[in-house]
Structures are given as C-alpha cells and as structure tokens.
C-alpha cells in the first residue's frame, strides 16, 4: 500500500472517530448523566448505540496508530508515539466495560457510578493520548499551525487529567478545562485529518 492511500485511510479514520465520539459522548453519555434511570429504562437503544460508537472509536484508534506508524516509521519517535496511542485505545476498551453494567442497575446512583467509572478510566487513557499527540506534533511534516495545535492539545489533555485528580473543586472549573482541551484538539486533529485527506503524501502516490 502506498503512502498516499495510507494518508487517506488515516484522514478518514480520524473523521470516523470524531463523529462516533460526538454521538457517544454528547448524546448517549449526556442522556445518562441527565436522566440515568429514565434513559436506561425508556431509551436504552441510545445507550447501546453509544457503547457501539465507543467501540468504533477504539477500533479506528488502532487503525490510526497503525497508519501513522507506517507513514512516519522513519522518524525515531514514531514507535513510541504509536505505543502511547495503543495504550490509550486499550484503556478506552477497558473503560467501555463499565457501561453495559448500567443496564443491570436499578437506581440512578448505581447507573451514575458506572458512568463515572467509565469516565475515570477514560481520563487515565487520555493522559497517554496527550503524550501521543505531543510526540506526533514533533513527528509530522505539516503546516506549522497544525503541529502547534496538535502539541497544545496533547499538553491540555495531560493537564486536564491531572486537574481531575488534583483539584478537589474541579467541577467549578470544568467548563474552562473543557474549552482548553476541546479547542486545540478540534482545530489540531481535524486540520491534520483534512490535510492527510487532501494533501498528505501526494508526492508518494
């Protein structure tokens, strides 16, 4: 497989992860957090599809890790970057196990406990994902603004995870941290995905 095809596969996989994660987080998980018992009892299909969407993100996380490694394997940091992304995918896979358990819960508190378990394990995975992004920013040859936003996103993922565990009043600042993570992540990773689809490795086709 030539590098141009790998570049397109990587870009498309990024978009699949992006849209699957949006659905799983902002529809399924948000519904559980707002109305846990009602969602499980009356809208359980939304949660089931949310779990499936999370599984899709894990699968394509591995695809992206594989493709990025092949694209940049000449760089001495590529193997390390790939390992940290695989660690994130593995931890995310473990976190997903908490969500099906919510179907057996009979109280809102029990359901929320399973969701919080999922979020906590996922947060740990995002710390390693942040390291991957920092390394990736050092590896990729793209317009400078993309690499800067990718590295910044990685730093913010790591800071946000640390803040969750270090700040007892994290919830008071959660919207600020969300913005600090989401803005560079969306700009950096989506710009990278678009670049890979439209321009990446064209000379190697």
């Amino acid at each position: 497989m030539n590098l141009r095809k790998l570049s397109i596969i990587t870009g498309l996989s990024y978009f699949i992860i992006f849209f699957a994660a949006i659905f799983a987080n902002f529809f399924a998980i948000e519904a559980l957090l707002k109305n846990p018992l009602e969602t499980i009892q009356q809208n359980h299909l939304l949660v089931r599809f949310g779990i499936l969407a999370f599984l899709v993100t894990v699968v394509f996380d591995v695809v992206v890790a594989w493709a990025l490694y092949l694209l940049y394997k000449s760089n001495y940091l590529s193997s390390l970057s790939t390992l940290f992304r695989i660690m994130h995918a593995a931890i995310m896979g473990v976190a997903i196990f908490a969500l099906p358990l919510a179907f057996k819960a009979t109280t809102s508190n029990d359901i929320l406990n399973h969701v919080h378990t999922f979020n906590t394990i996922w947060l740990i995975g995002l710390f390693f994902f942040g390291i991957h992004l920092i390394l990736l920013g050092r590896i990729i040859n793209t317009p400078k603004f993309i690499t800067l936003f990718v590295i910044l996103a990685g730093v913010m993922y790591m800071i946000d995870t640390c803040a969750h565990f270090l700040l007892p009043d994290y919830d008071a600042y959660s919207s600020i941290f969300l913005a600090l993570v989401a803005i560079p992540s969306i700009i950096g990773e989506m710009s990278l995905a678009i670049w890979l689809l439209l321009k990446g490795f064209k000379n190697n086709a």
Side-chain angles (χ1 to χ4, degrees):
M1 184 180 296
N2 63 42
L3 296 185
R4 180 60 191 146
K5 287 181 180 178
L6 278 172
S7 181
I8 292 171
I9 289 171
T10 310
L12 288 174
S13 297
Y14 261 116
F15 275 101
I16 292 171
I17 292 170
F18 181 70
F19 289 112
I22 285 178
F23 171 76
N25 276 297
F26 295 103
F27 289 89
I29 294 298
E30 281 301 312
L32 280 173
L33 290 174
K34 289 179 180 177
N35 298 293
L37 197 58
E38 179 182 334
T39 301
I40 286 294
Q41 292 178 345
Q42 300 179 20
N43 201 11
H44 62 92
L45 278 179
L46 175 64
V47 181
R48 295 180 190 280
F49 278 114
I51 294 170
L52 181 60
F54 277 128
L55 290 173
V56 168
T57 67
V58 172
V59 169
F60 282 93
D61 238 2
V62 174
V63 171
V64 168
W66 162 77
L68 286 173
Y69 172 74
L70 292 179
L71 288 171
Y72 298 102
K73 62 183 177 181
S74 60
N75 190 293
Y76 73 100
L77 291 174
S78 185
S79 294
L80 186 60
S81 174
T82 300
L83 287 173
F84 276 113
R85 185 156 196 145
I86 293 294
M87 285 177 68
H88 162 257
I91 293 170
M92 179 64 174
V94 172
I96 295 171
F97 274 96
L99 295 178
L101 297 177
F103 293 114
K104 296 182 179 180
T106 56
T107 67
S108 292
N109 282 337
D110 287 342
I111 294 169
L112 289 175
N113 283 337
H114 292 306
V115 176
H116 292 322
T117 298
F118 164 78
N119 282 330
T120 300
I121 298 172
W122 186 20
L123 268 174
I124 296 170
L126 289 176
F127 184 88
F128 298 112
F129 183 69
I131 298 174
H132 158 74
L133 288 181
I134 293 170
L135 294 172
L136 182 63
R138 296 287 305 277
I139 293 169
I140 56 179
N141 299 311
T142 63
K144 199 67 176 177
F145 86 92
I146 295 180
T147 62
L148 290 175
F149 273 102
V150 168
I151 292 172
L152 180 59
V155 171
M156 291 314 305
Y157 273 119
M158 295 177 70
I159 291 175
D160 182 56
T161 297
C162 291
H164 266 88
F165 299 129
L166 295 177
L167 297 179
D169 57 346
Y170 174 88
D171 288 342
Y173 307 98
S174 60
S175 59
I176 297 174
F177 279 105
L178 177 61
L180 290 174
V181 171
I183 293 171
S185 178
I186 292 172
I187 294 174
E189 292 188 84
M190 286 301 98
S191 296
L192 175 59
I194 293 169
W195 181 83
L196 287 165
L197 281 172
L198 300 181
K199 293 186 177 182
F201 297 89
K202 276 193 171 181
N203 294 334
N204 301 97

